[in-house]
Amino acid sequence: MAVPKRRQSKSRQKMRRGANRWRAPIFKTCPECESRVPSHIACPSCGYYRSRKVLEVDAF
């Protein structure tokens, strides 16, 4: 079984664990209705994705 030959330094440990930090989600603005939408998701308010209508949205 493989075993590390040397102990990892504290800075290397912190760099590795730094990749696991929480990041805020990035939202884009919908070009059709100007609402905030996550990337790669059809707009829930107007139903457009990449300038095409992909969802039928019911208005209440």
Side-chain angles (χ1 to χ4, degrees), residues 25-42:
I26 299 169
F27 292 101
K28 309 276 186 189
T29 55
C30 176
E32 303 294 324
C33 65
E34 302 296 324
S35 65
R36 307 288 284 159
V37 181
S39 298
H40 308 288
I41 291 177

Side-chain angles (χ1 to χ4, degrees), residues 2-60:
V3 177
K5 197 168 265 227
R6 298 254 184 254
R7 179 179 174 175
Q8 236 178 12
S9 68
K10 291 176 186 176
S11 66
R12 296 276 293 187
Q13 286 178 1
K14 289 177 184 178
M15 280 193 280
R16 186 181 68 241
R17 291 183 183 141
N20 298 332
R21 71 181 181 277
W22 180 82
R23 292 182 185 93
I26 299 169
F27 292 101
K28 309 276 186 189
T29 55
C30 176
E32 303 294 324
C33 65
E34 302 296 324
S35 65
R36 307 288 284 159
V37 181
S39 298
H40 308 288
I41 291 177
C43 180
S45 59
C46 67
Y48 274 78
Y49 179 71
R50 301 184 100 195
S51 304
R52 280 190 294 148
K53 184 95 170 161
V54 293
L55 291 176
E56 282 298 322
V57 179
D58 296 331
F60 290 102

